[in-house]
Amino acid sequence: MEKIPNMRRFVTWLAAALIGFSSPVLAEDHPVVVELFTSQGCSSCPAADAYLATLADREDVIALALHVDYWDYIGWKDVFADPRFTKRQKAYAIAAHRHSVYTPQMIVNGVEHVVGNHPVDVAALIAKHAKTRHPISLALKEQAGVLSISASSDQVMPTPVIVQLVRYVPEREVAIHAGENAGKKLIYSNIVTEWHRLGDWDTNGPFNLQTQVQGDEPIVVIVQAPGPGPIIASARLR
């Protein structure tokens, strides 16, 4: 969510040239990105959290749990909550001309808004977006703490697209001692810990970027229209 001053300039190289690469993850598989906005202080959320866990291991889905902070006041502070994720959810609501936000909510590929504990509806939207044609090809490679991102598009987008880096923790168990879920011990999956805006790409030519990454958390790169709008490409290393 970090801002880049000039939206239309190409992203410059951020690290030294790579010496050898791991096998790339390619966006030809076009995983569908499912963002779950959730909270440990929400009694309706555990069912959605459990459903997200079933999506977490799928290769055709990138499931991401973004814990919001606006339920912290009712007795339990979510240990994963980040105000930036609340801001992202509100931005989605504004882009969709909605007047409020709620949990649990899932956003599928940046455009579909659905109640997070309605798995049949979510599954239908995943299937729908799995069939969507994607104009952008995206590849990731990582070696010795350096991530290489390359992308190309077979058409020029009407506005520059945003390239974002996401990291997440695959699983954590939390004992809830207060609030609506008091007394429960809950398991959370794919907990987002970082969401960075790497730069903007006008799609007139190839996109190439190298950046430092630390730690063993899975790496996700998302290419998205501004707004936030539709997710046009995504890829993951884990």
Side-chain angles (χ1 to χ4, degrees):
M1 294 184 184
E2 297 168 357
K3 294 184 178 179
I4 301 297
N6 185 346
M7 189 171 181
R8 293 186 176 273
R9 69 176 175 81
F10 283 101
V11 177
T12 56
W13 294 97
L14 299 181
L18 294 178
I19 303 174
F21 297 109
S22 60
S23 298
V25 173
L26 299 176
E28 277 69 29
D29 291 333
H30 302 303
V32 177
V33 177
V34 178
E35 299 172 62
L36 168 64
F37 293 93
T38 186
S39 172
Q40 293 169 4
C42 160
S43 61
S44 300
C45 288
D49 298 323
Y51 177 56
L52 190 82
T54 70
L55 301 176
D57 292 330
R58 287 176 53 170
E59 293 300 324
D60 62 332
V61 174
I62 295 177
L64 301 171
L66 293 92
H67 287 243
V68 298
D69 63 351
Y70 50 81
W71 294 126
D72 287 358
Y73 77 94
I74 61 175
W76 178 258
K77 181 176 173 57
D78 190 318
V79 297
F80 306 128
D82 192 318
R84 294 176 300 171
F85 303 153
T86 300
K87 182 178 179 180
R88 180 170 175 83
Q89 187 185 24
K90 289 180 177 179
Y92 269 129
I94 292 169
H97 305 292
R98 298 173 184 263
H99 300 294
S100 61
V101 294
Y102 64 91
T103 57
Q105 182 188 35
M106 287 185 175
I107 307 290
V108 180
N109 260 12
V111 292
E112 308 280 6
H113 297 226
V114 61
V115 177
N117 52 13
H118 290 181
V120 173
D121 296 337
V122 177
L125 290 172
I126 291 172
K128 169 188 170 182
H129 282 270
K131 299 175 183 178
T132 302
R133 178 187 175 275
H134 297 265
I136 290 177
S137 176
L138 176 65
L140 310 181
K141 302 176 185 179
E142 187 271 334
Q143 178 71 26
V146 178
L147 174 67
S148 177
I149 305 168
S150 59
S152 60
S153 180
D154 61 16
Q155 67 183 66
V156 177
M157 300 292 110
T159 60
V161 293
I162 303 165
V163 181
Q164 301 161 103
L165 173 66
V166 181
R167 309 294 300 274
Y168 65 83
V169 173
E171 187 175 286
R172 286 289 186 274
E173 184 178 74
V174 178
I176 311 296
H177 300 296
E180 292 185 351
N181 291 314
K184 295 181 180 179
K185 188 175 287 186
L186 300 173
I187 296 175
Y188 295 94
S189 301
N190 291 18
I191 308 146
V192 175
T193 56
E194 300 179 36
W195 196 301
H196 302 293
R197 183 172 182 161
L198 294 177
D200 303 289
W201 173 35
D202 63 11
T203 64
N204 278 300
F207 177 96
N208 292 287
L209 168 70
Q210 289 180 326
T211 187
Q212 299 283 344
V213 290
Q214 297 180 347
D216 297 326
E217 294 179 354
I219 296 167
V220 175
V221 172
I222 292 173
V223 180
Q224 187 170 19
I231 291 174
I232 307 165
S234 60
R236 169 176 51 197
L237 289 170
R238 58 179 174 179

